[in-house]
Amino acid sequence: MERDSYKEPGKGNILIVDNSLENLKLLFAILSDCSYMVEPGAINIALKTYLDFILLDILMPDIDGNKVCRKLNKFKRLLDEM
């Protein structure tokens, strides 16, 4: 599986995962102002996009951040085996 890459030279790509709209807006504004490429989103973005960093809320109602980390790690191992 090939990941899409929208990475610009000198800018990092950051995924923000949080169930609080206020947190998402604040982090998006701060990081965007610092010239980062910011994606508010979920696991599917992390699986198809090159990311330098993931800001992940641990306490979320649908799935906790620890489960998200385990899923991402499992997927990365599968990609590495290909």
Side-chain angles (χ1 to χ4, degrees):
M1 173 183 232
E2 189 172 322
R3 292 182 175 196
D4 297 331
S5 179
Y6 55 82
K7 185 175 174 74
E8 296 179 33
K11 295 185 179 182
N13 294 317
I14 300 174
L15 173 68
I16 303 172
V17 181
D18 198 308
N19 62 310
S20 165
L21 184 57
E22 293 82 19
N23 289 348
L24 288 172
K25 287 179 181 178
L26 177 64
L27 290 167
F28 185 85
I30 291 169
L31 294 169
S32 295
D33 285 347
C34 294
S35 298
Y36 288 100
M37 300 296 294
V38 183
E39 282 287 334
I43 297 173
N44 59 342
I45 292 173
L47 298 179
K48 65 180 182 178
T49 306
Y50 176 85
L51 297 168
D52 293 300
F53 197 78
I54 300 174
L55 288 173
L56 176 61
D57 187 359
I58 296 297
L59 301 173
M60 295 183 288
D62 297 332
I63 182 171
D64 72 53
N66 293 318
K67 288 181 184 176
V68 172
C69 284
R70 284 193 291 276
K71 286 184 178 207
L72 292 173
N73 283 330
K74 182 178 179 180
F75 185 77
K76 183 187 179 313
R77 283 193 301 275
L78 290 172
L79 281 180
D80 290 343
E81 292 173 3
M82 297 176 114

